[in-house]
Structures are given as structure tokens and as C-alpha cells.
Amino acid sequence: MRTPHTAAPPGEGAPPAHSSVPPASGVRTRGQHQRRKRIVQAAAALASRGGVEAMQMRTVAERAGVALGTLYRYFPSKMDLVVAVVSDEFDLLETSIERRPPSAATPAGRAVDVLMRATRGLMREPELADALIRSLIIAEVEAPFGDRMAGLLLRVSAGGLTLEAATEEQYALAGSLAGVWVHELLEMLRGRRTYEQLQRRIEIAAGRLFAGL
């Protein structure tokens, strides 16, 4: 695991001297939650139009209506902010799955449903999706989205199976399918796959990997 990177993005200077660790989620006030939400929404809106390069910390702060020092207290670096945007997207996916669980008869079919829903959600803002995924690949902050996706695939496909209860093989299979999806999604964003081709490749991979799940 790499050590979290807390330096400011190149060209933006160091975080203000009074910056501190972002408030722990368990003790945030309602105002702090709303402030954090505004910041993440502002960052997502900027990235959706100009990629991660458009997520300049000062610009995000101005759009969110917060002081630059406040922004750095919540997100010490641009990459921390990228991770937060992706986390919010994943939260939306999990909520969608909870409200309308996949109904396919097989574990592979349910896994495909999850991954294609995630694809459709990300492709509503393709430039944002491309920027976020590319950034996470080179992220120097802790970004456990592989585990989150693997856990979601197992819960949905294997009757509520958790990562803690899964065998090493089950965890590896779910992680491998999630990795295939990320690769195929990037290929589609680069124009090398159609949506239909991506779906077919995910169906093939899920059929093989989850055959005995």
C-alpha cells in the first residue's frame, strides 16, 4: 500500500499552513457534510467538462463557495478529491443495486447486471469517467475501489457473500472480473470498443469466472 500523497497539485502551491486532517466522518456536523458535498459536486462538474486538469483546487473552492484553506482541510490533494468523486459515484451504484437488485438466474448474469449498470452510470459523463479512471490507475492515495467492486459483485452474485466470508479463490475471481471491466471500460472510452462489444466481453468473462460461484 502506498503512503497517501498529501502534496498540492503542481502549480498550485502548498496547502495553507493551518490545514488539518479532514473531519472524521463520524463527527461531522450537518454543515460539514453539506460543505463536503458542495466541494465534491463542484469538482465533478469541472472534471466533466475539462478532465482532472480542470479540477484546479482554487477553482473548485470558488465554485463550491468555500475558502481554499477549507478545501484543503477536507481534501489535502487533488487526488484525494478525485477519490471522493469516484466514491460518490460508487455510492450511487450501490444504492441503485439495493433498490433494484439484479434478477438474473445465475451468479454470472447478476454480476453482468451490476457491471453494466456501473457502465451506464459512468457513461452519462464520459469525459468525467475517463478522467477519474485514468487518475485512479496512477493514484498515490488509498483508493480501495477494487475491493468495493469485488465485494459488491460477491454480495449480489453469491447470495450476500461478504469479502470476510469469501474464500481466497472467490475473492480473486471477483477481483479479476472487476479488473476486466475496468480495462474494457477504458477501451470503450478510447473508442476501441462499442457498448455492445464491452457487454459481450463482460458476459464471456463473467460466464467463465463465476461459473462455479
Side-chain angles (χ1 to χ4, degrees):
M1 183 71 68
R2 298 184 190 180
T3 303
H5 177 66
T6 58
E12 293 211 43
H18 59 275
S19 293
S20 60
V21 176
S25 59
V27 297
R28 285 193 185 124
T29 66
R30 181 174 180 178
Q32 288 169 335
H33 275 292
Q34 291 299 319
R35 194 174 300 118
R36 181 189 182 281
K37 183 178 179 180
R38 289 203 313 273
I39 291 170
V40 174
Q41 288 176 337
L46 289 166
S48 70
R49 290 164 177 78
V52 171
E53 293 76 13
M55 286 173 55
Q56 299 300 316
M57 298 296 267
R58 187 175 300 278
T59 307
V60 172
E62 291 173 354
R63 188 180 182 102
V66 301
L68 185 59
T70 299
L71 172 59
Y72 276 116
R73 284 197 293 276
Y74 282 86
F75 303 103
S77 75
K78 182 189 288 189
M79 195 52 63
D80 289 295
L81 192 50
V82 169
V83 170
V85 173
V86 178
S87 181
D88 276 19
E89 291 293 320
F90 204 100
D91 289 344
L92 291 174
L93 173 64
E94 289 188 319
T95 299
S96 168
I97 296 298
E98 289 172 4
R99 290 177 177 172
R100 187 167 57 88
S103 58
T106 64
R110 294 190 289 274
V112 170
D113 188 311
V114 169
L115 294 173
M116 296 314 297
R117 281 202 222 178
T119 301
R120 289 191 295 272
L122 287 170
M123 291 309 295
R124 286 195 296 268
E125 294 282 359
E127 190 166 353
L128 174 61
D130 184 64
L132 295 178
I133 292 172
R134 289 176 188 272
S135 295
L136 286 178
I137 289 174
I138 61 171
E140 294 183 3
V141 295
E142 185 175 356
F145 298 109
D147 282 349
R148 283 190 71 178
M149 181 57 85
L152 179 59
L153 290 172
L154 287 175
R155 288 199 309 275
V156 171
S157 302
L161 181 65
T162 64
L163 283 180
E164 293 73 23
T167 65
E168 182 179 1
E169 181 180 8
Q170 288 169 326
Y171 172 69
L173 291 172
S176 295
L177 183 56
V180 169
W181 171 69
V182 169
H183 171 75
E184 293 300 323
L185 183 61
L186 276 174
E187 289 295 280
M188 186 172 71
L189 289 165
R190 292 167 179 158
R192 298 173 184 168
R193 297 276 191 276
T194 65
Y195 178 88
E196 291 73 20
Q197 288 172 330
L198 177 145
Q199 180 169 351
R200 181 57 183 152
R201 286 169 179 260
I202 294 299
E203 288 171 346
I204 292 170
R208 293 292 184 89
L209 291 169
F210 278 25
L213 194 63

Short mmCIF file of all heavy atoms in Angstrom, two decimals, residues 129-194:
data_model
loop_
_atom_site.label_atom_id
_atom_site.label_comp_id
_atom_site.label_asym_id
_atom_site.label_seq_id
_atom_site.Cartn_x
_atom_site.Cartn_y
_atom_site.Cartn_z
N ALA A 129 -15.79 10.15 -16.54
CA ALA A 129 -15.43 8.74 -16.31
C ALA A 129 -13.99 8.48 -16.73
O ALA A 129 -13.21 7.85 -15.99
CB ALA A 129 -16.38 7.84 -17.08
N ASP A 130 -13.62 8.96 -17.90
CA ASP A 130 -12.27 8.75 -18.40
C ASP A 130 -11.24 9.39 -17.48
O ASP A 130 -10.22 8.77 -17.12
CB ASP A 130 -12.15 9.33 -19.81
CG ASP A 130 -10.80 9.05 -20.43
OD1 ASP A 130 -10.49 7.87 -20.66
OD2 ASP A 130 -10.05 10.01 -20.69
N ALA A 131 -11.51 10.61 -17.07
CA ALA A 131 -10.57 11.33 -16.20
C ALA A 131 -10.41 10.63 -14.86
O ALA A 131 -9.29 10.47 -14.36
CB ALA A 131 -11.06 12.77 -15.99
N LEU A 132 -11.52 10.19 -14.29
CA LEU A 132 -11.46 9.57 -12.97
C LEU A 132 -10.74 8.23 -13.01
O LEU A 132 -9.90 7.93 -12.16
CB LEU A 132 -12.87 9.40 -12.42
CG LEU A 132 -13.64 10.70 -12.14
CD1 LEU A 132 -15.05 10.38 -11.65
CD2 LEU A 132 -12.91 11.57 -11.12
N ILE A 133 -11.08 7.41 -13.99
CA ILE A 133 -10.47 6.08 -14.05
C ILE A 133 -8.99 6.18 -14.33
O ILE A 133 -8.16 5.51 -13.69
CB ILE A 133 -11.17 5.22 -15.12
CG1 ILE A 133 -12.60 4.92 -14.68
CG2 ILE A 133 -10.41 3.92 -15.35
CD1 ILE A 133 -13.45 4.24 -15.72
N ARG A 134 -8.60 7.04 -15.26
CA ARG A 134 -7.18 7.20 -15.56
C ARG A 134 -6.43 7.70 -14.32
O ARG A 134 -5.30 7.26 -14.05
CB ARG A 134 -6.99 8.19 -16.71
CG ARG A 134 -7.42 7.64 -18.07
CD ARG A 134 -7.28 8.74 -19.13
NE ARG A 134 -7.84 8.34 -20.39
CZ ARG A 134 -7.17 7.70 -21.33
NH1 ARG A 134 -5.91 7.37 -21.13
NH2 ARG A 134 -7.75 7.37 -22.48
N SER A 135 -7.04 8.60 -13.58
CA SER A 135 -6.38 9.15 -12.40
C SER A 135 -6.21 8.09 -11.32
O SER A 135 -5.18 8.02 -10.65
CB SER A 135 -7.18 10.33 -11.85
OG SER A 135 -7.19 11.39 -12.78
N LEU A 136 -7.23 7.26 -11.13
CA LEU A 136 -7.15 6.24 -10.09
C LEU A 136 -6.09 5.18 -10.40
O LEU A 136 -5.50 4.60 -9.49
CB LEU A 136 -8.51 5.57 -9.90
CG LEU A 136 -9.55 6.42 -9.18
CD1 LEU A 136 -10.87 5.68 -9.10
CD2 LEU A 136 -9.08 6.80 -7.78
N ILE A 137 -5.84 4.95 -11.68
CA ILE A 137 -4.83 3.97 -12.06
C ILE A 137 -3.45 4.39 -11.55
O ILE A 137 -2.63 3.56 -11.18
CB ILE A 137 -4.82 3.77 -13.59
CG1 ILE A 137 -6.09 3.00 -14.00
CG2 ILE A 137 -3.58 3.01 -14.04
CD1 ILE A 137 -6.27 2.88 -15.50
N ILE A 138 -3.21 5.70 -11.53
CA ILE A 138 -1.91 6.20 -11.07
C ILE A 138 -2.00 6.86 -9.70
O ILE A 138 -1.11 7.57 -9.29
CB ILE A 138 -1.33 7.20 -12.09
CG1 ILE A 138 -2.26 8.42 -12.26
CG2 ILE A 138 -1.08 6.55 -13.43
CD1 ILE A 138 -1.64 9.54 -13.08
N ALA A 139 -3.08 6.60 -8.99
CA ALA A 139 -3.31 7.27 -7.71
C ALA A 139 -2.24 6.92 -6.69
O ALA A 139 -1.77 5.80 -6.62
CB ALA A 139 -4.68 6.91 -7.16
N GLU A 140 -1.86 7.91 -5.91
CA GLU A 140 -0.93 7.70 -4.81
C GLU A 140 -1.64 7.85 -3.46
O GLU A 140 -1.02 8.06 -2.44
CB GLU A 140 0.23 8.70 -4.90
CG GLU A 140 1.11 8.48 -6.13
CD GLU A 140 2.29 9.42 -6.19
OE1 GLU A 140 2.46 10.21 -5.23
OE2 GLU A 140 3.03 9.38 -7.17
N VAL A 141 -2.94 7.75 -3.48
CA VAL A 141 -3.71 7.75 -2.25
C VAL A 141 -4.45 6.43 -2.18
O VAL A 141 -4.62 5.72 -3.17
CB VAL A 141 -4.73 8.92 -2.21
CG1 VAL A 141 -4.01 10.24 -2.19
CG2 VAL A 141 -5.70 8.84 -3.38
N GLU A 142 -4.89 6.09 -0.98
CA GLU A 142 -5.60 4.83 -0.81
C GLU A 142 -6.96 4.92 -1.51
O GLU A 142 -7.77 5.78 -1.21
CB GLU A 142 -5.81 4.54 0.69
CG GLU A 142 -6.45 3.19 0.95
CD GLU A 142 -6.55 2.88 2.43
OE1 GLU A 142 -6.04 3.69 3.23
OE2 GLU A 142 -7.12 1.84 2.76
N ALA A 143 -7.18 4.02 -2.43
CA ALA A 143 -8.43 4.02 -3.21
C ALA A 143 -8.92 2.59 -3.34
O ALA A 143 -8.66 1.93 -4.34
CB ALA A 143 -8.19 4.64 -4.58
N PRO A 144 -9.62 2.08 -2.33
CA PRO A 144 -9.98 0.65 -2.29
C PRO A 144 -11.19 0.31 -3.14
O PRO A 144 -12.06 -0.44 -2.73
CB PRO A 144 -10.27 0.44 -0.80
CG PRO A 144 -10.85 1.75 -0.35
CD PRO A 144 -10.08 2.80 -1.13
N PHE A 145 -11.26 0.86 -4.36
CA PHE A 145 -12.44 0.61 -5.17
C PHE A 145 -12.45 -0.78 -5.77
O PHE A 145 -13.51 -1.31 -6.07
CB PHE A 145 -12.57 1.69 -6.25
CG PHE A 145 -12.75 3.05 -5.65
CD1 PHE A 145 -11.73 3.98 -5.71
CD2 PHE A 145 -13.91 3.37 -4.97
CE1 PHE A 145 -11.88 5.23 -5.11
CE2 PHE A 145 -14.06 4.61 -4.37
CZ PHE A 145 -13.05 5.54 -4.45
N GLY A 146 -11.27 -1.38 -5.95
CA GLY A 146 -11.23 -2.77 -6.38
C GLY A 146 -11.92 -3.67 -5.37
O GLY A 146 -12.73 -4.53 -5.73
N ASP A 147 -11.61 -3.45 -4.09
CA ASP A 147 -12.26 -4.23 -3.04
C ASP A 147 -13.76 -3.94 -2.98
O ASP A 147 -14.56 -4.85 -2.77
CB ASP A 147 -11.63 -3.91 -1.68
CG ASP A 147 -10.30 -4.62 -1.48
OD1 ASP A 147 -9.97 -5.50 -2.31
OD2 ASP A 147 -9.58 -4.28 -0.54
N ARG A 148 -14.13 -2.68 -3.16
CA ARG A 148 -15.56 -2.35 -3.10
C ARG A 148 -16.33 -3.02 -4.24
O ARG A 148 -17.42 -3.57 -4.02
CB ARG A 148 -15.76 -0.84 -3.16
CG ARG A 148 -15.47 -0.12 -1.87
CD ARG A 148 -15.91 1.33 -1.91
NE ARG A 148 -17.37 1.46 -1.89
CZ ARG A 148 -18.00 2.64 -1.88
NH1 ARG A 148 -17.29 3.77 -1.89
NH2 ARG A 148 -19.31 2.71 -1.86
N MET A 149 -15.76 -2.99 -5.43
CA MET A 149 -16.44 -3.62 -6.56
C MET A 149 -16.47 -5.13 -6.38
O MET A 149 -17.50 -5.78 -6.65
CB MET A 149 -15.77 -3.24 -7.87
CG MET A 149 -16.45 -3.85 -9.11
SD MET A 149 -18.21 -3.40 -9.25
CE MET A 149 -18.06 -1.80 -10.08
N ALA A 150 -15.36 -5.72 -5.95
CA ALA A 150 -15.33 -7.16 -5.73
C ALA A 150 -16.36 -7.55 -4.66
O ALA A 150 -17.08 -8.55 -4.81
CB ALA A 150 -13.93 -7.61 -5.30
N GLY A 151 -16.44 -6.75 -3.61
CA GLY A 151 -17.41 -7.03 -2.55
C GLY A 151 -18.84 -6.93 -3.04
O GLY A 151 -19.69 -7.76 -2.69
N LEU A 152 -19.11 -5.92 -3.86
CA LEU A 152 -20.46 -5.75 -4.40
C LEU A 152 -20.82 -6.92 -5.32
O LEU A 152 -21.92 -7.46 -5.26
CB LEU A 152 -20.55 -4.43 -5.16
CG LEU A 152 -21.90 -4.11 -5.82
CD1 LEU A 152 -23.02 -4.07 -4.78
CD2 LEU A 152 -21.83 -2.78 -6.56
N LEU A 153 -19.88 -7.33 -6.16
CA LEU A 153 -20.13 -8.45 -7.07
C LEU A 153 -20.43 -9.73 -6.29
O LEU A 153 -21.33 -10.50 -6.65
CB LEU A 153 -18.93 -8.66 -8.00
CG LEU A 153 -18.72 -7.59 -9.07
CD1 LEU A 153 -17.39 -7.81 -9.78
CD2 LEU A 153 -19.86 -7.57 -10.06
N LEU A 154 -19.68 -9.96 -5.23
CA LEU A 154 -19.90 -11.17 -4.43
C LEU A 154 -21.25 -11.11 -3.71
O LEU A 154 -21.99 -12.10 -3.68
CB LEU A 154 -18.77 -11.34 -3.41
CG LEU A 154 -17.43 -11.79 -3.98
CD1 LEU A 154 -16.36 -11.81 -2.89
CD2 LEU A 154 -17.53 -13.16 -4.62
N ARG A 155 -21.57 -9.97 -3.12
CA ARG A 155 -22.85 -9.85 -2.40
C ARG A 155 -24.03 -10.11 -3.32
O ARG A 155 -24.97 -10.82 -2.96
CB ARG A 155 -22.99 -8.46 -1.78
CG ARG A 155 -22.09 -8.19 -0.61
CD ARG A 155 -22.58 -7.01 0.24
NE ARG A 155 -22.85 -5.81 -0.51
CZ ARG A 155 -21.93 -4.91 -0.84
NH1 ARG A 155 -20.67 -5.11 -0.51
NH2 ARG A 155 -22.26 -3.82 -1.50
N VAL A 156 -23.97 -9.53 -4.51
CA VAL A 156 -25.10 -9.64 -5.43
C VAL A 156 -25.14 -11.01 -6.10
O VAL A 156 -26.22 -11.59 -6.29
CB VAL A 156 -25.01 -8.53 -6.51
CG1 VAL A 156 -26.03 -8.76 -7.60
CG2 VAL A 156 -25.20 -7.16 -5.87
N SER A 157 -23.98 -11.53 -6.43
CA SER A 157 -23.94 -12.76 -7.23
C SER A 157 -24.00 -14.03 -6.40
O SER A 157 -24.44 -15.07 -6.88
CB SER A 157 -22.65 -12.79 -8.07
OG SER A 157 -22.59 -11.66 -8.91
N ALA A 158 -23.56 -13.97 -5.16
CA ALA A 158 -23.45 -15.18 -4.34
C ALA A 158 -24.30 -15.10 -3.08
O ALA A 158 -23.87 -15.53 -2.00
CB ALA A 158 -21.98 -15.43 -4.00
N GLY A 159 -25.47 -14.52 -3.19
CA GLY A 159 -26.42 -14.55 -2.09
C GLY A 159 -25.98 -13.86 -0.82
O GLY A 159 -26.15 -14.38 0.28
N GLY A 160 -25.38 -12.68 -0.96
CA GLY A 160 -24.99 -11.91 0.22
C GLY A 160 -23.62 -12.25 0.77
O GLY A 160 -23.27 -11.81 1.87
N LEU A 161 -22.83 -13.00 0.03
CA LEU A 161 -21.49 -13.36 0.48
C LEU A 161 -20.64 -12.10 0.69
O LEU A 161 -20.58 -11.23 -0.18
CB LEU A 161 -20.82 -14.26 -0.56
CG LEU A 161 -19.40 -14.75 -0.24
CD1 LEU A 161 -19.41 -15.66 0.98
CD2 LEU A 161 -18.81 -15.48 -1.45
N THR A 162 -19.99 -12.00 1.84
CA THR A 162 -19.15 -10.85 2.14
C THR A 162 -17.69 -11.17 1.84
O THR A 162 -17.31 -12.34 1.74
CB THR A 162 -19.26 -10.44 3.62
OG1 THR A 162 -18.75 -11.51 4.43
CG2 THR A 162 -20.72 -10.17 3.99
N LEU A 163 -16.88 -10.13 1.72
CA LEU A 163 -15.45 -10.34 1.49
C LEU A 163 -14.83 -11.12 2.65
O LEU A 163 -13.93 -11.94 2.44
CB LEU A 163 -14.74 -9.00 1.33
CG LEU A 163 -14.90 -8.27 -0.01
CD1 LEU A 163 -14.14 -6.96 0.01
CD2 LEU A 163 -14.44 -9.14 -1.16
N GLU A 164 -15.30 -10.85 3.86
CA GLU A 164 -14.74 -11.53 5.03
C GLU A 164 -15.02 -13.02 4.99
O GLU A 164 -14.21 -13.84 5.44
CB GLU A 164 -15.30 -10.92 6.32
CG GLU A 164 -14.88 -9.48 6.61
CD GLU A 164 -15.56 -8.48 5.71
OE1 GLU A 164 -16.65 -8.78 5.16
OE2 GLU A 164 -15.02 -7.36 5.54
N ALA A 165 -16.20 -13.40 4.47
CA ALA A 165 -16.58 -14.81 4.43
C ALA A 165 -16.13 -15.51 3.16
O ALA A 165 -16.16 -16.74 3.08
CB ALA A 165 -18.10 -14.93 4.57
N ALA A 166 -15.73 -14.75 2.17
CA ALA A 166 -15.34 -15.34 0.88
C ALA A 166 -14.01 -16.08 1.00
O ALA A 166 -13.14 -15.73 1.80
CB ALA A 166 -15.23 -14.25 -0.17
N THR A 167 -13.86 -17.10 0.20
CA THR A 167 -12.58 -17.80 0.13
C THR A 167 -11.61 -16.96 -0.69
O THR A 167 -12.00 -16.03 -1.40
CB THR A 167 -12.73 -19.17 -0.53
OG1 THR A 167 -13.13 -18.99 -1.91
CG2 THR A 167 -13.79 -20.01 0.18
N GLU A 168 -10.35 -17.33 -0.61
CA GLU A 168 -9.34 -16.61 -1.40
C GLU A 168 -9.65 -16.71 -2.89
O GLU A 168 -9.50 -15.75 -3.64
CB GLU A 168 -7.96 -17.20 -1.12
CG GLU A 168 -6.83 -16.49 -1.87
CD GLU A 168 -5.47 -17.07 -1.56
OE1 GLU A 168 -5.40 -18.05 -0.78
OE2 GLU A 168 -4.46 -16.57 -2.10
N GLU A 169 -10.13 -17.88 -3.32
CA GLU A 169 -10.46 -18.07 -4.74
C GLU A 169 -11.64 -17.20 -5.14
O GLU A 169 -11.62 -16.57 -6.21
CB GLU A 169 -10.78 -19.53 -5.02
CG GLU A 169 -11.12 -19.79 -6.48
CD GLU A 169 -11.44 -21.24 -6.76
OE1 GLU A 169 -11.56 -22.03 -5.80
OE2 GLU A 169 -11.58 -21.60 -7.94
N GLN A 170 -12.68 -17.14 -4.31
CA GLN A 170 -13.85 -16.33 -4.63
C GLN A 170 -13.47 -14.85 -4.73
O GLN A 170 -13.92 -14.14 -5.63
CB GLN A 170 -14.94 -16.54 -3.58
CG GLN A 170 -15.62 -17.89 -3.66
CD GLN A 170 -16.51 -18.16 -2.46
OE1 GLN A 170 -16.21 -17.74 -1.34
NE2 GLN A 170 -17.60 -18.87 -2.69
N TYR A 171 -12.66 -14.40 -3.80
CA TYR A 171 -12.22 -13.01 -3.82
C TYR A 171 -11.39 -12.73 -5.09
O TYR A 171 -11.56 -11.70 -5.75
CB TYR A 171 -11.38 -12.70 -2.58
CG TYR A 171 -10.71 -11.35 -2.61
CD1 TYR A 171 -11.46 -10.19 -2.52
CD2 TYR A 171 -9.33 -11.25 -2.76
CE1 TYR A 171 -10.85 -8.94 -2.57
CE2 TYR A 171 -8.71 -10.01 -2.82
CZ TYR A 171 -9.48 -8.86 -2.71
OH TYR A 171 -8.87 -7.65 -2.76
N ALA A 172 -10.51 -13.66 -5.44
CA ALA A 172 -9.68 -13.49 -6.63
C ALA A 172 -10.53 -13.44 -7.90
O ALA A 172 -10.28 -12.64 -8.81
CB ALA A 172 -8.65 -14.61 -6.72
N LEU A 173 -11.55 -14.29 -7.98
CA LEU A 173 -12.42 -14.32 -9.15
C LEU A 173 -13.19 -13.01 -9.29
O LEU A 173 -13.30 -12.45 -10.39
CB LEU A 173 -13.39 -15.49 -9.06
CG LEU A 173 -12.77 -16.89 -9.19
CD1 LEU A 173 -13.81 -17.96 -8.89
CD2 LEU A 173 -12.18 -17.09 -10.58
N ALA A 174 -13.74 -12.51 -8.18
CA ALA A 174 -14.48 -11.25 -8.22
C ALA A 174 -13.56 -10.09 -8.59
O ALA A 174 -13.92 -9.21 -9.38
CB ALA A 174 -15.15 -11.00 -6.87
N GLY A 175 -12.36 -10.08 -8.02
CA GLY A 175 -11.40 -9.03 -8.35
C GLY A 175 -10.97 -9.08 -9.81
O GLY A 175 -10.78 -8.05 -10.45
N SER A 176 -10.82 -10.28 -10.33
CA SER A 176 -10.44 -10.43 -11.73
C SER A 176 -11.53 -9.91 -12.66
O SER A 176 -11.24 -9.23 -13.66
CB SER A 176 -10.15 -11.91 -12.04
OG SER A 176 -9.03 -12.37 -11.31
N LEU A 177 -12.78 -10.20 -12.34
CA LEU A 177 -13.88 -9.71 -13.17
C LEU A 177 -13.95 -8.19 -13.12
O LEU A 177 -14.18 -7.53 -14.15
CB LEU A 177 -15.20 -10.33 -12.71
CG LEU A 177 -16.44 -9.95 -13.55
CD1 LEU A 177 -16.23 -10.29 -15.02
CD2 LEU A 177 -17.68 -10.63 -13.00
N ALA A 178 -13.76 -7.63 -11.94
CA ALA A 178 -13.75 -6.17 -11.82
C ALA A 178 -12.61 -5.57 -12.65
O ALA A 178 -12.77 -4.53 -13.30
CB ALA A 178 -13.61 -5.76 -10.36
N GLY A 179 -11.45 -6.24 -12.67
CA GLY A 179 -10.33 -5.76 -13.46
C GLY A 179 -10.60 -5.81 -14.96
O GLY A 179 -10.23 -4.89 -15.70
N VAL A 180 -11.27 -6.87 -15.41
CA VAL A 180 -11.65 -6.97 -16.82
C VAL A 180 -12.57 -5.81 -17.19
O VAL A 180 -12.44 -5.19 -18.24
CB VAL A 180 -12.35 -8.32 -17.10
CG1 VAL A 180 -12.99 -8.32 -18.49
CG2 VAL A 180 -11.36 -9.47 -16.96
N TRP A 181 -13.52 -5.51 -16.30
CA TRP A 181 -14.46 -4.43 -16.56
C TRP A 181 -13.75 -3.08 -16.70
O TRP A 181 -14.03 -2.32 -17.63
CB TRP A 181 -15.50 -4.36 -15.44
CG TRP A 181 -16.38 -3.16 -15.52
CD1 TRP A 181 -17.34 -2.90 -16.46
CD2 TRP A 181 -16.38 -2.03 -14.63
NE1 TRP A 181 -17.94 -1.68 -16.21
CE2 TRP A 181 -17.37 -1.13 -15.09
CE3 TRP A 181 -15.65 -1.72 -13.49
CZ2 TRP A 181 -17.63 0.07 -14.44
CZ3 TRP A 181 -15.92 -0.52 -12.84
CH2 TRP A 181 -16.91 0.36 -13.32
N VAL A 182 -12.82 -2.79 -15.79
CA VAL A 182 -12.09 -1.52 -15.87
C VAL A 182 -11.34 -1.42 -17.20
O VAL A 182 -11.37 -0.38 -17.87
CB VAL A 182 -11.12 -1.38 -14.68
CG1 VAL A 182 -10.17 -0.19 -14.89
CG2 VAL A 182 -11.89 -1.20 -13.38
N HIS A 183 -10.68 -2.50 -17.58
CA HIS A 183 -9.93 -2.49 -18.85
C HIS A 183 -10.86 -2.25 -20.04
O HIS A 183 -10.57 -1.42 -20.91
CB HIS A 183 -9.20 -3.82 -19.03
CG HIS A 183 -8.58 -3.98 -20.39
ND1 HIS A 183 -7.43 -3.31 -20.77
CD2 HIS A 183 -8.98 -4.72 -21.47
CE1 HIS A 183 -7.15 -3.63 -22.02
NE2 HIS A 183 -8.05 -4.47 -22.47
N GLU A 184 -11.96 -2.98 -20.07
CA GLU A 184 -12.89 -2.84 -21.20
C GLU A 184 -13.54 -1.46 -21.23
O GLU A 184 -13.79 -0.90 -22.29
CB GLU A 184 -13.95 -3.93 -21.13
CG GLU A 184 -13.42 -5.34 -21.36
CD GLU A 184 -12.77 -5.50 -22.72
OE1 GLU A 184 -13.26 -4.91 -23.70
OE2 GLU A 184 -11.76 -6.23 -22.81
N LEU A 185 -13.81 -0.91 -20.06
CA LEU A 185 -14.39 0.43 -19.99
C LEU A 185 -13.41 1.45 -20.57
O LEU A 185 -13.80 2.34 -21.34
CB LEU A 185 -14.76 0.77 -18.56
CG LEU A 185 -15.44 2.12 -18.33
CD1 LEU A 185 -16.77 2.19 -19.07
CD2 LEU A 185 -15.66 2.35 -16.84
N LEU A 186 -12.15 1.35 -20.20
CA LEU A 186 -11.15 2.26 -20.75
C LEU A 186 -11.04 2.11 -22.27
O LEU A 186 -10.90 3.10 -22.99
CB LEU A 186 -9.79 1.99 -20.10
CG LEU A 186 -9.53 2.67 -18.76
CD1 LEU A 186 -8.22 2.19 -18.18
CD2 LEU A 186 -9.54 4.18 -18.90
N GLU A 187 -11.11 0.89 -22.75
CA GLU A 187 -11.06 0.66 -24.20
C GLU A 187 -12.26 1.32 -24.89
O GLU A 187 -12.12 1.89 -25.98
CB GLU A 187 -11.03 -0.84 -24.50
CG GLU A 187 -9.73 -1.52 -24.14
CD GLU A 187 -8.57 -1.02 -24.98
OE1 GLU A 187 -8.44 -1.48 -26.13
OE2 GLU A 187 -7.80 -0.17 -24.49
N MET A 188 -13.42 1.26 -24.27
CA MET A 188 -14.59 1.90 -24.85
C MET A 188 -14.43 3.42 -24.84
O MET A 188 -14.75 4.10 -25.82
CB MET A 188 -15.87 1.50 -24.11
CG MET A 188 -17.14 2.04 -24.76
SD MET A 188 -18.66 1.38 -24.04
CE MET A 188 -18.66 2.22 -22.46
N LEU A 189 -13.90 3.96 -23.76
CA LEU A 189 -13.70 5.40 -23.67
C LEU A 189 -12.68 5.88 -24.71
O LEU A 189 -12.74 7.02 -25.17
CB LEU A 189 -13.24 5.77 -22.26
CG LEU A 189 -14.31 5.65 -21.17
CD1 LEU A 189 -13.68 5.69 -19.79
CD2 LEU A 189 -15.35 6.75 -21.30
N ARG A 190 -11.76 5.01 -25.07
CA ARG A 190 -10.76 5.35 -26.10
C ARG A 190 -11.30 5.15 -27.51
O ARG A 190 -10.59 5.39 -28.49
CB ARG A 190 -9.51 4.49 -25.90
CG ARG A 190 -8.73 4.80 -24.64
CD ARG A 190 -7.71 3.72 -24.35
NE ARG A 190 -6.94 4.02 -23.15
CZ ARG A 190 -6.30 3.10 -22.42
NH1 ARG A 190 -6.36 1.82 -22.78
NH2 ARG A 190 -5.62 3.45 -21.35
N GLY A 191 -12.51 4.66 -27.63
CA GLY A 191 -13.10 4.44 -28.94
C GLY A 191 -12.76 3.10 -29.56
O GLY A 191 -13.01 2.88 -30.75
N ARG A 192 -12.20 2.19 -28.78
CA ARG A 192 -11.78 0.89 -29.31
C ARG A 192 -12.82 -0.20 -29.07
O ARG A 192 -12.62 -1.34 -29.50
CB ARG A 192 -10.45 0.49 -28.67
CG ARG A 192 -9.31 1.44 -28.97
CD ARG A 192 -8.08 1.08 -28.17
NE ARG A 192 -7.00 2.05 -28.38
CZ ARG A 192 -5.90 2.10 -27.64
NH1 ARG A 192 -5.72 1.23 -26.65
NH2 ARG A 192 -4.97 3.01 -27.88
N ARG A 193 -13.86 0.11 -28.37
CA ARG A 193 -14.94 -0.83 -28.12
C ARG A 193 -16.25 -0.10 -28.27
O ARG A 193 -16.37 1.08 -27.91
CB ARG A 193 -14.89 -1.39 -26.69
CG ARG A 193 -13.68 -2.19 -26.32
CD ARG A 193 -13.77 -3.63 -26.75
NE ARG A 193 -12.68 -4.37 -26.12
CZ ARG A 193 -11.44 -4.44 -26.60
NH1 ARG A 193 -11.14 -3.82 -27.73
NH2 ARG A 193 -10.50 -5.11 -25.96
N THR A 194 -17.25 -0.80 -28.77
CA THR A 194 -18.61 -0.27 -28.68
C THR A 194 -19.21 -0.75 -27.36
O THR A 194 -18.66 -1.64 -26.69
CB THR A 194 -19.48 -0.80 -29.84
OG1 THR A 194 -19.61 -2.23 -29.70
CG2 THR A 194 -18.86 -0.46 -31.18
#
